[in-house]
Amino acid sequence: MNIDCTFGKFKIIQTVSDDEELLILSKWDCLKNFFASSRIFLVNQKEAVFGVYLNKKECLETIDVLIKNIDYKDWDNLHLGSDHFIVKN
């Protein structure tokens, strides 16, 4: 899932090794507003992309905080998207 809002651009992907683990990718300045710096790690130095691992519940709580803190004037800048959807049976 991709989230583009006034707080930055975030990409959320599910890890292959664990169904309950997600990886959030973004710029350092975007991630440090929501997570302790000790949890954030460098993913791609050339593009300055950083990541944080979290479980689905914590991710939902983070997205909830992000949405609650969006100023009413900035709702037009919020975009949710997905590159693809995976359906599990």
Side-chain angles (χ1 to χ4, degrees):
M1 174 194 305
N2 296 313
I3 300 174
D4 187 0
C5 65
T6 54
F7 298 110
K9 294 181 179 183
F10 303 90
K11 182 169 191 143
I12 303 171
I13 56 177
Q14 184 173 341
T15 62
V16 176
S17 61
D18 186 350
D19 287 357
E20 293 298 315
E21 186 176 61
L22 300 171
L23 173 62
I24 295 183
L25 302 172
S26 189
K27 301 291 182 185
W28 174 266
D29 291 337
C30 300
L31 292 174
K32 72 177 176 114
N33 293 323
F34 298 98
F35 305 101
S37 60
S38 61
R39 292 185 62 188
I40 302 170
F41 59 92
L42 180 65
V43 174
N44 183 318
Q45 185 171 7
K46 184 178 178 182
E47 296 180 17
V49 175
F50 291 83
V52 173
Y53 284 111
L54 30 124
N55 63 38
K56 288 182 179 179
K57 182 177 185 266
E58 185 181 11
C59 184
L60 180 61
E61 291 168 355
T62 301
I63 292 172
D64 182 52
V65 168
L66 188 145
I67 290 173
K68 285 180 180 177
N69 287 307
I70 291 177
D71 188 291
Y72 74 94
K73 297 176 213 167
D74 296 328
W75 277 104
D76 291 339
N77 295 325
L78 175 66
H79 301 283
L80 301 176
S82 178
D83 295 335
H84 61 278
F85 292 96
I86 299 174
V87 178
K88 291 186 176 182
N89 293 331

